[in-house]
Amino acid sequence: MAIVLGSNQYGKAETRLVRFVRDSPRHQITDLNVTTALRGDFSAAYLDGDQSAVLPTDTQKNSAYVWAKTHAVDPIEEYGLSLARHFVEDVEPVEAARIEIEQFGWTRVVAQDGEHDHTWIRSGQEVRTAAVTVEAGGEHVVQGLKDLVVLKSTGSAFKDFLTDEYTTLRPTDDRVMATSLVARWRVSGDRLEGIDWNAMYVGVRAVMLERFANLHSLALQQTLWHMGRAAIEAYPQIAEVRLKAPNKHHFLVDFSAFDLENDGEVFHADDRPYGLIEATVERDDGPPSGDAWRFSAGLA
Amino acid sequence: MAIVLGSNQYGKAETRLVRFVRDSPRHQITDLNVTTALRGDFSAAYLDGDQSAVLPTDTQKNSAYVWAKTHAVDPIEEYGLSLARHFVEDVEPVEAARIEIEQFGWTRVVAQDGEHDHTWIRSGQEVRTAAVTVEAGGEHVVQGLKDLVVLKSTGSAFKDFLTDEYTTLRPTDDRVMATSLVARWRVSGDRLEGIDWNAMYVGVRAVMLERFANLHSLALQQTLWHMGRAAIEAYPQIAEVRLKAPNKHHFLVDFSAFDLENDGEVFHADDRPYGLIEATVERDDGPPSGDAWRFSAGLA
Amino acid sequence: MAIVLGSNQYGKAETRLVRFVRDSPRHQITDLNVTTALRGDFSAAYLDGDQSAVLPTDTQKNSAYVWAKTHAVDPIEEYGLSLARHFVEDVEPVEAARIEIEQFGWTRVVAQDGEHDHTWIRSGQEVRTAAVTVEAGGEHVVQGLKDLVVLKSTGSAFKDFLTDEYTTLRPTDDRVMATSLVARWRVSGDRLEGIDWNAMYVGVRAVMLERFANLHSLALQQTLWHMGRAAIEAYPQIAEVRLKAPNKHHFLVDFSAFDLENDGEVFHADDRPYGLIEATVERDDGPPSGDAWRFSAGLA
Amino acid sequence: MAIVLGSNQYGKAETRLVRFVRDSPRHQITDLNVTTALRGDFSAAYLDGDQSAVLPTDTQKNSAYVWAKTHAVDPIEEYGLSLARHFVEDVEPVEAARIEIEQFGWTRVVAQDGEHDHTWIRSGQEVRTAAVTVEAGGEHVVQGLKDLVVLKSTGSAFKDFLTDEYTTLRPTDDRVMATSLVARWRVSGDRLEGIDWNAMYVGVRAVMLERFANLHSLALQQTLWHMGRAAIEAYPQIAEVRLKAPNKHHFLVDFSAFDLENDGEVFHADDRPYGLIEATVERDDGPPSGDAWRFSAGLA
């Protein structure tokens, strides 16, 4: 028996980087949280404390900042690919790089003269995400979103489920369905060519929301399946979609003690526990994922 | 010397209440976090554990739910006033009531057929707040907002400040100014009559954002003063405005080691520490505040 | 009618400062979160953007760091008094200063050789707090703690309470009582002389915990009263104690559908809503509080 | 091309369950956050909304509560194994179950009479974790901890690292090293037999802390390797250890402008960005991990 080093990576998590474009009076803002992680043969650092092959995480941070000056940060997927390729191509011991990015949305303030040139408010809780992996076997971009909180007040049922001796839940034909969606979709290899990432983001988000809204749902599972399917149907480049959806329970408040009826009007929004559905929807002839999903580094 | 009971209140914090109106296929949603607090002579509960004058916090929660069925919850200020008056008028030992409400925004999903009838996404981090106090001396409504994150990429300076031996900050003519604004404005007594609360909320928010955007700022203090002043000028009913603004620092990344210039383009958004400016702007003939600001109960 | 500037303060919030003493191989650690706030006539900054009387918040941060080098940081109350006096005495426009400090606990790692000289683990969620105010009218120290989570599994009842038509709660002779305590106690003026702050902190905490544990509680109100009273009885310097206690509800899980009994054994720990009790216990001949409680700056 | 359902699971996340043992006046407390997830052929739920094979997540919650009544919850690993086996053996469509548990620590209040019988305070931020997987291929327990914040004020260097044109970091012989450790160690198959889980938890934690404290560290990577190695050496049942360690940076405050020296005494504890090291240490003849690490369900 021997004890050996298994898979590992290291990097700089959560570099909070804001990039402005100020070429004209109408400025542009891109607000990012960037995490970089490098892979390769770093065993000497672990086994002997030998750092001669280790590019400091501080340098990775500097590189992220410099790249934001010398390369476009919008779309974030291109920025991530460029930065990842730099680490793999220019830093000798690095065999693979993973760049994770969160993009926070901003909306221009609208005053009497219309949209303001250089003032914004944070728009929404929703975060656009990207996870770029550049490795010997190829390149992968996982585009996505998280914290997209969506709710429908009807058009959702849950009934005819399996029961056992511990089941007390009553079936329902009409309930509130709400979730805080995490969705990620992967594009790999030569399908990365020529993608308009901003358009894909808007497009996938739109078809997912349409399905959530318009599908009469018999279960959150069914809704997720149709959301993932719609994304893959809309974009042939997408190899797979991964979805993680907490079922944020809204419980009808019991008014029976007060001689009142509650016709689906007053709910308690509960915190914990919550149902949690996790699913993958795949194109059966898509390229393999390689290490695209390995080690989600610093960002939840 | 004696030890005596000083000021006190008790209540139920953070009842998460969602109210739908389903009278037509186009549903309405109001999503609230409600905190109630009661004041009066509850000394027997403290000194002797005698609960005979104590309406349970569980009952306060039930009352908040029932009121959401039997009274309009929109605008939240009217709902709060009604619920507060109920406690003061109908529950004998209660001398004053304070209702704090957070309202979370939702926006209809837009699909190909336009705005959806019963599906929404959470809009923004910004929270609308209300703190209603009904007491012997009168009634007060403190309307407000929090978590309104706003940023301008130019039009802000900080220079000609006081220095001492511990000062290392360099003056600047052009910086990023960003804050996560907490603003609260008070209306008291007979000025409460006939207010269109939703219009006031929209109006105060608009004039504050206009001032933030368009005032060339020499300091966050100056910006706050003008924001508060604009609100009072726009609404004669408002007696005072209280503002709390963290200066969310954006530091220019130093590129001097890389033979690059940073012309206000790449910033590090820092977490801590942060400047914090707190100020009150008042109408000098406004009605007094009574206990309107006493004990901010459960909500930050 | 005129619009005027009301009360205001500004400062630097949440300077995260760690101080080591390394005079011997056995190091000491003090881990602080320091917030400074200054008061005075800063109206020119608000009205005209004139910063000539404004010491930058960045300088306040530098001063907090320098003081940590040149003065003892332990006990935090002495450090806060020294820093506050510096601002009031040495910076001309400053009329009053408020220093808020959170102290995070660390415990030495114990290895085979006993306590380690220079390695610690964070101990507990509990945070020791201090809020020091130095103003023309005198000096105040509010010592305290927060996030002290305490629970008793018996010895607590809630019954014989007031009921109305919205009451559904059942009385109980035996319940779980749990809270996340915030307690603050004020010492003012010449009673500040010669206090052993670390001993007072340990002592107040001990008598409060003893009362929580050993008092058969008829209500959280009663428990708080006795906790505050015990602190004042133990320390004649303390003028008042303020307590804020969320009632962290533990609900007995209903096993009636499963032919099982739940004899106070299995509980659901709920998140929201929660009861919230806020109370002050005072010495009736204590010195007045002045602005000791005004504007709790950056720290919850 | 077809679109197909890939890997998936569903369950109830974060059931907050507190179990008391009250057989004698000296009560016992076990405070848990339990997440259950089930796997199997649930494709009908996704594709057709057919719930006939779906045991509701509400039932999973009920089962977790009932098991806490009818089975010991301490150690959590045995409780998790029992609950997981129940789902796999008793619920027909279930092919695999994963139970994730967080255990929060409590310490008895010590009053003048010694340890209190039924009153506790929450001890520490550190959380003990378990992830139990029962599947056709076998059983796995991943024991672990998270949020163990540990710091050493000397005995750590970082130098002789790789540099490139973006490197500005200076090497150091003596720095503060701090992390908030996440450590998980896997035991699989027949090596699960007869383990004293509580002793293993205490033992692994102790050897890891000893290594962190006593190893003169040339890099966090080296420290992690030795921590993982020590755990595997101490317990032959452990097949692998996975470690995730943010490098919580402590920056020496620059006093050069103030004519002061900072001999490793005053540091700024920064929030973001942070280094992040992730590594696996393995026994080369250990049993395979199967799905033991697949889908970390509801708990971070």
Side-chain angles (χ1 to χ4, degrees), chain C residues 3 9 16 42 84 107-108 134 147 162 169-170 191 202 218 237 253 267 296 298:
Chain C
I3 298 173
Q9 69 178 12
R16 288 283 292 109
F42 299 113
T107 306
R108 286 181 193 278
V134 171
D147 299 338
L162 184 66
L169 186 74
R170 301 291 189 76
R191 303 196 188 186
V202 171
L218 299 173
Q237 303 98 327
V253 175
F267 288 83
S296 181

Side-chain angles (χ1 to χ4, degrees), chain D residues 98 100-102 127-131 141-147 181-187 201 204 208 228 231-232 238-244 279-281 292-293 296 299-300:
Chain D
R98 178 179 178 86
E100 296 189 8
I101 305 173
E102 297 179 336
V127 175
R128 174 172 166 180
T129 61
V141 171
V142 177
Q143 192 177 52
L145 55 81
K146 65 175 189 175
D147 299 337
L181 187 69
V182 181
R184 304 188 197 274
W185 45 97
R186 176 173 60 88
V187 180
Y201 181 80
V204 169
M208 285 190 176
I232 291 179
I238 296 176
E240 63 172 317
V241 179
R242 296 198 181 182
L243 299 154
K244 184 171 178 173
T280 306
V281 181
W293 299 99
S296 181
L299 309 177

Side-chain angles (χ1 to χ4, degrees), chain C residues 189-230:
Chain C
D190 53 20
R191 303 196 188 186
L192 291 167
E193 297 284 322
I195 289 182
D196 179 339
W197 294 104
N198 292 344
M200 177 180 277
Y201 182 79
V202 171
V204 170
R205 185 180 179 282
V207 297
M208 285 190 175
L209 284 176
E210 188 281 333
R211 287 287 73 201
F212 183 87
N214 287 331
L215 179 76
H216 182 85
S217 176
L218 299 173
L220 187 46
Q221 281 92 330
Q222 187 195 20
T223 294
L224 294 182
W225 163 259
H226 282 280
M227 291 167 74
R229 183 182 174 90

Side-chain angles (χ1 to χ4, degrees), chain C residues 16-20 22 27 29 62 65-66 68-70 106 109 111-113 116-126 148-155 174 176 205 209-210 212-214 250 253 255 258 260-269 271, chain D residues 16-20 22 27 29 62 65-66 68-70 106 109 111-113 116-126 148-155 174 176 205 209-210 212-214 250 253 255 258 260-269 271:
Chain C
R16 288 283 292 109
L17 183 165
V18 183
R19 176 64 156 97
F20 296 98
R22 301 163 54 118
H27 293 182
I29 183 173
N62 286 348
Y65 282 131
V66 167
K69 163 72 182 178
T70 57
W106 292 86
V109 165
Q112 56 270 56
D113 309 323
H116 203 269
D117 273 349
H118 58 257
T119 309
W120 300 264
I121 57 171
R122 263 294 305 272
S123 55
Q125 306 179 308
E126 182 186 344
L148 175 61
V149 181
V150 59
L151 177 152
K152 59 195 295 187
S153 56
T154 190
D174 189 12
V176 171
R205 185 180 179 282
L209 284 176
E210 188 281 333
F212 183 87
N214 287 331
H250 286 67
V253 175
F255 283 157
F258 315 124
L260 287 169
E261 274 200 66
N262 191 349
D263 301 323
E265 295 164 301
V266 182
F267 288 83
H268 168 61
D271 295 298
Chain D
R16 287 284 291 106
L17 182 166
V18 183
R19 176 63 154 99
F20 297 98
R22 301 164 53 118
H27 294 183
I29 183 173
N62 286 347
Y65 281 130
V66 167
K69 164 71 182 178
T70 57
W106 292 86
V109 166
Q112 56 271 59
D113 308 323
H116 203 269
D117 274 348
H118 59 257
T119 308
W120 300 264
I121 58 171
R122 265 294 306 272
S123 55
Q125 305 180 308
E126 180 186 344
L148 175 61
V149 181
V150 58
L151 177 150
K152 59 194 296 186
S153 54
T154 190
D174 188 12
V176 170
R205 185 180 178 282
L209 284 176
E210 189 279 332
F212 183 89
N214 288 331
H250 286 67
V253 175
F255 282 156
F258 315 124
L260 287 170
E261 274 199 66
N262 192 348
D263 302 323
E265 295 163 302
V266 182
F267 289 84
H268 169 59
D271 295 300

Side-chain angles (χ1 to χ4, degrees), chain D residues 269-289:
Chain D
D270 206 35
D271 295 300
R272 293 190 292 186
Y274 49 92
L276 184 61
I277 319 295
E278 298 166 275
T280 306
V281 181
E282 301 171 338
R283 187 182 293 279
D284 68 354
D285 63 349
S289 62

Side-chain angles (χ1 to χ4, degrees), chain A residues 9-15 17 32-39 55 57 59-65 67-68 72-73 75-89 91 94-103 128-135 138-144 184-185 187 197 291-299, chain D residues 276 278:
Chain A
Q9 70 178 11
Y10 81 102
K12 190 65 114 191
E14 304 209 32
T15 296
L17 183 164
L32 304 182
N33 197 16
V34 179
T35 293
T36 61
L38 306 182
R39 301 166 186 160
L55 189 74
T57 66
T59 302
Q60 297 180 39
K61 176 194 70 178
N62 286 347
S63 305
Y65 281 130
W67 248 246
V73 293
I76 55 176
E77 292 80 5
E78 298 291 351
Y79 168 78
L81 279 165
S82 171
L83 186 57
R85 287 169 188 153
H86 157 65
F87 287 126
V88 173
E89 293 166 10
V91 184
V94 176
E95 294 165 13
R98 178 180 178 86
I99 314 294
E100 296 188 8
I101 306 173
E102 296 179 335
Q103 181 172 12
R128 175 171 164 180
T129 62
V132 172
T133 302
V134 170
E135 55 186 350
E139 296 182 336
H140 310 276
V141 172
V142 178
Q143 191 177 53
R184 303 188 197 272
W185 45 98
V187 180
W197 293 104
D291 277 346
W293 300 98
R294 199 183 105 194
F295 282 6
S296 182
L299 310 177
Chain D
L276 184 61
E278 298 166 275

Side-chain angles (χ1 to χ4, degrees), chain C residues 10-44:
Chain C
Y10 81 102
K12 190 66 114 191
E14 304 207 33
T15 295
R16 288 283 292 109
L17 183 165
V18 183
R19 176 64 156 97
F20 296 98
V21 177
R22 301 163 54 118
D23 299 342
S24 75
R26 187 175 172 86
H27 293 182
Q28 307 290 335
I29 183 173
T30 307
D31 184 2
L32 305 181
N33 196 17
V34 178
T35 294
T36 61
L38 306 182
R39 300 165 188 162
D41 181 4
F42 299 113
S43 54

